[in-house]
Amino acid sequence: MLDIVTHTPTWVWLLLTLLIYLGVKQTRDRQVPKSKAFILPIVMITFSLHGVISNFGGSFDSLLFCAVSFVAALLIGVLIFPSQRATYDASTQRYFIQGSWRPLLLILGIFSIKYTVGVMEGLHHSLLTMSIVVDGLSLLYGVFSGVFAARSIVLWRLSRSTQTYQSP
């Protein structure tokens, strides 16, 4: 295990540090300009989709599992399990978002999948040739991305209505 960690490129640890920093910022109540509220979700959804395409070649099955789990998590997040209070001030074009550990956990989830797959690729592990493993990892990428997308949709709806909503 130590061999894997020591052979991991420095930029990976720098990226992890940045992602942890961004995730920890999400744990505090904050005011976020509308223009910046969607940057992190877009980056993380892109990071996740990149993982499916770069790690699994964008195969039909991996994209399908990612898409289905994305839509399921999106619908659940928007319709069934809202949990975070947010308000929007149209005059300042800012959201007030209560802090949550959920974004940090999602960020670390996506990073962990990408890191694990990267290690497995580096070791030429046979698990990556098994469709059930590839489909399962694609499914996880989709779930994490769907939750980020649900949160963004709830915020977008909030800014359109300027009322208080629940955000996943």
Side-chain angles (χ1 to χ4, degrees), residues 51-57 114-126 128:
V52 173
I53 293 170
S54 67
N55 297 134
F56 310 131
K114 283 194 65 61
Y115 184 79
T116 300
V117 171
V119 168
M120 290 170 71
E121 284 179 335
L123 296 173
H124 305 291
H125 203 286
S126 62
L128 288 179

Short mmCIF file of all heavy atoms in Angstrom, two decimals, residues 51-57 114-126 128:
data_model
loop_
_atom_site.label_atom_id
_atom_site.label_comp_id
_atom_site.label_asym_id
_atom_site.label_seq_id
_atom_site.Cartn_x
_atom_site.Cartn_y
_atom_site.Cartn_z
N GLY A 51 -14.30 10.55 -15.64
CA GLY A 51 -13.88 9.26 -15.09
C GLY A 51 -14.50 8.09 -15.84
O GLY A 51 -13.81 7.12 -16.16
N VAL A 52 -15.79 8.20 -16.14
CA VAL A 52 -16.45 7.11 -16.87
C VAL A 52 -15.86 6.97 -18.27
O VAL A 52 -15.57 5.85 -18.72
CB VAL A 52 -17.98 7.37 -16.97
CG1 VAL A 52 -18.65 6.35 -17.87
CG2 VAL A 52 -18.61 7.34 -15.58
N ILE A 53 -15.64 8.09 -18.94
CA ILE A 53 -15.14 8.04 -20.32
C ILE A 53 -13.67 7.63 -20.36
O ILE A 53 -13.29 6.74 -21.13
CB ILE A 53 -15.37 9.38 -21.03
CG1 ILE A 53 -16.88 9.60 -21.20
CG2 ILE A 53 -14.65 9.43 -22.37
CD1 ILE A 53 -17.26 11.00 -21.67
N SER A 54 -12.85 8.24 -19.51
CA SER A 54 -11.41 7.95 -19.58
C SER A 54 -11.07 6.58 -19.01
O SER A 54 -10.17 5.91 -19.51
CB SER A 54 -10.61 9.04 -18.88
OG SER A 54 -10.86 9.02 -17.49
N ASN A 55 -11.77 6.17 -17.96
CA ASN A 55 -11.44 4.89 -17.33
C ASN A 55 -12.06 3.70 -18.02
O ASN A 55 -11.49 2.62 -18.03
CB ASN A 55 -11.86 4.88 -15.86
CG ASN A 55 -11.12 5.91 -15.02
OD1 ASN A 55 -11.73 6.61 -14.24
ND2 ASN A 55 -9.82 6.01 -15.19
N PHE A 56 -13.24 3.90 -18.58
CA PHE A 56 -13.97 2.76 -19.15
C PHE A 56 -14.21 2.90 -20.64
O PHE A 56 -15.02 2.18 -21.22
CB PHE A 56 -15.30 2.56 -18.41
CG PHE A 56 -15.14 2.54 -16.92
CD1 PHE A 56 -15.95 3.33 -16.11
CD2 PHE A 56 -14.18 1.76 -16.30
CE1 PHE A 56 -15.80 3.32 -14.74
CE2 PHE A 56 -14.03 1.75 -14.93
CZ PHE A 56 -14.83 2.54 -14.14
N GLY A 57 -13.54 3.86 -21.26
CA GLY A 57 -13.63 4.01 -22.70
C GLY A 57 -14.96 4.51 -23.22
O GLY A 57 -15.22 4.47 -24.41
N LYS A 114 -12.08 7.65 -8.71
CA LYS A 114 -11.06 7.92 -9.74
C LYS A 114 -9.69 7.43 -9.30
O LYS A 114 -8.95 6.86 -10.10
CB LYS A 114 -11.02 9.41 -10.09
CG LYS A 114 -12.17 9.84 -10.98
CD LYS A 114 -11.96 11.18 -11.61
CE LYS A 114 -10.85 11.33 -12.57
NZ LYS A 114 -10.84 10.54 -13.78
N TYR A 115 -9.34 7.64 -8.04
CA TYR A 115 -8.04 7.21 -7.54
C TYR A 115 -7.93 5.69 -7.56
O TYR A 115 -6.94 5.12 -8.03
CB TYR A 115 -7.79 7.75 -6.13
CG TYR A 115 -6.41 7.42 -5.60
CD1 TYR A 115 -5.31 8.15 -6.01
CD2 TYR A 115 -6.22 6.37 -4.71
CE1 TYR A 115 -4.03 7.84 -5.54
CE2 TYR A 115 -4.96 6.05 -4.23
CZ TYR A 115 -3.87 6.79 -4.66
OH TYR A 115 -2.61 6.48 -4.21
N THR A 116 -8.95 5.03 -7.06
CA THR A 116 -8.95 3.57 -7.02
C THR A 116 -8.84 2.98 -8.41
O THR A 116 -8.06 2.05 -8.65
CB THR A 116 -10.22 3.05 -6.31
OG1 THR A 116 -10.25 3.57 -4.98
CG2 THR A 116 -10.26 1.54 -6.28
N VAL A 117 -9.60 3.51 -9.34
CA VAL A 117 -9.55 3.01 -10.72
C VAL A 117 -8.17 3.29 -11.32
O VAL A 117 -7.61 2.44 -12.01
CB VAL A 117 -10.68 3.62 -11.58
CG1 VAL A 117 -10.49 3.28 -13.05
CG2 VAL A 117 -12.03 3.12 -11.09
N GLY A 118 -7.62 4.46 -11.03
CA GLY A 118 -6.27 4.78 -11.51
C GLY A 118 -5.23 3.80 -11.00
O GLY A 118 -4.36 3.34 -11.75
N VAL A 119 -5.32 3.46 -9.73
CA VAL A 119 -4.40 2.47 -9.15
C VAL A 119 -4.61 1.12 -9.81
O VAL A 119 -3.64 0.43 -10.18
CB VAL A 119 -4.59 2.38 -7.61
CG1 VAL A 119 -3.86 1.17 -7.05
CG2 VAL A 119 -4.11 3.66 -6.95
N MET A 120 -5.87 0.73 -9.96
CA MET A 120 -6.16 -0.57 -10.58
C MET A 120 -5.64 -0.62 -12.02
O MET A 120 -5.12 -1.65 -12.46
CB MET A 120 -7.65 -0.86 -10.52
CG MET A 120 -8.15 -1.14 -9.11
SD MET A 120 -9.94 -1.19 -8.96
CE MET A 120 -10.30 -2.72 -9.81
N GLU A 121 -5.77 0.49 -12.74
CA GLU A 121 -5.24 0.53 -14.11
C GLU A 121 -3.72 0.42 -14.09
O GLU A 121 -3.14 -0.28 -14.91
CB GLU A 121 -5.67 1.82 -14.81
CG GLU A 121 -7.10 1.83 -15.26
CD GLU A 121 -7.50 3.12 -15.94
OE1 GLU A 121 -6.87 4.18 -15.67
OE2 GLU A 121 -8.44 3.09 -16.75
N GLY A 122 -3.09 1.13 -13.16
CA GLY A 122 -1.64 1.09 -13.05
C GLY A 122 -1.13 -0.31 -12.73
O GLY A 122 -0.05 -0.71 -13.17
N LEU A 123 -1.90 -1.05 -11.97
CA LEU A 123 -1.52 -2.42 -11.61
C LEU A 123 -2.02 -3.44 -12.62
O LEU A 123 -1.79 -4.64 -12.46
CB LEU A 123 -2.08 -2.76 -10.22
CG LEU A 123 -1.56 -1.95 -9.05
CD1 LEU A 123 -2.33 -2.29 -7.78
CD2 LEU A 123 -0.06 -2.17 -8.86
N HIS A 124 -2.73 -2.97 -13.64
CA HIS A 124 -3.34 -3.84 -14.66
C HIS A 124 -4.20 -4.92 -14.00
O HIS A 124 -4.11 -6.09 -14.33
CB HIS A 124 -2.28 -4.47 -15.56
CG HIS A 124 -1.38 -3.47 -16.19
ND1 HIS A 124 -1.81 -2.59 -17.15
CD2 HIS A 124 -0.07 -3.17 -15.97
CE1 HIS A 124 -0.81 -1.81 -17.52
NE2 HIS A 124 0.26 -2.13 -16.81
N HIS A 125 -5.01 -4.46 -13.06
CA HIS A 125 -5.84 -5.38 -12.28
C HIS A 125 -6.96 -5.96 -13.13
O HIS A 125 -7.61 -5.27 -13.90
CB HIS A 125 -6.42 -4.66 -11.06
CG HIS A 125 -6.78 -5.59 -9.96
ND1 HIS A 125 -7.89 -6.40 -9.99
CD2 HIS A 125 -6.17 -5.85 -8.78
CE1 HIS A 125 -7.96 -7.10 -8.90
NE2 HIS A 125 -6.93 -6.79 -8.13
N SER A 126 -7.18 -7.24 -12.99
CA SER A 126 -8.18 -7.94 -13.79
C SER A 126 -9.62 -7.54 -13.45
O SER A 126 -10.53 -7.77 -14.24
CB SER A 126 -8.02 -9.45 -13.65
OG SER A 126 -8.23 -9.84 -12.31
N LEU A 128 -10.89 -4.72 -13.54
CA LEU A 128 -11.37 -3.72 -14.50
C LEU A 128 -11.82 -4.33 -15.82
O LEU A 128 -12.34 -3.62 -16.68
CB LEU A 128 -10.29 -2.66 -14.75
CG LEU A 128 -10.07 -1.70 -13.59
CD1 LEU A 128 -8.96 -0.70 -13.92
CD2 LEU A 128 -11.35 -0.97 -13.21
#
